[in-house]
Amino acid sequence: ANGCFWPMPSSYYCANPDGSYDYKAPPCNPDARQEFVPFVIFFGIINLGTHLSTAASNGLLVEYAKQEPEAVRGSSQTRSLITRKTGEFAS
């Protein structure tokens, strides 16, 4: 989504015909060093939203666990944690 609003800047270093960068030549786009700010802000907001939603879901799971019978208390939390960690490892 970020690329829709801010197109990627051209690379800082000049590219060789084979696609590698020529680090010994002067930069082709010295302004590229300053064009990272919108990307950092955008991904920081995404990261904050992810952490907030994880904290909210953990709080909701605790409330559900309080309502579970004593014999199976915490089973929904365990299943949720296993599912979340499996998804994290798969990604």
Side-chain angles (χ1 to χ4, degrees):
N2 195 20
C4 296
F5 303 113
W6 294 287
M8 292 292 292
S10 59
S11 62
Y12 180 72
Y13 291 107
C14 299
N16 293 324
D18 64 353
S20 63
Y21 292 113
D22 186 7
Y23 295 110
K24 295 179 181 164
C28 287
N29 184 12
D31 295 332
R33 291 173 39 170
Q34 305 304 323
E35 295 182 16
F36 69 93
V37 175
F39 295 100
V40 170
I41 292 171
F42 180 74
F43 286 114
I45 291 170
I46 288 174
N47 193 15
L48 178 65
T50 302
H51 285 288
L52 286 174
S53 67
T54 301
S57 69
N58 285 340
L60 187 60
L61 274 173
V62 168
E63 292 300 317
Y64 284 151
K66 289 178 184 177
Q67 297 174 3
E68 289 180 332
E70 188 90 19
V72 294
R73 185 162 292 166
S75 61
S76 62
Q77 289 174 307
T78 304
R79 283 192 302 270
S80 173
L81 182 62
I82 289 172
T83 304
R84 184 183 307 153
K85 291 299 175 185
T86 302
E88 288 175 6
F89 290 138
S91 66

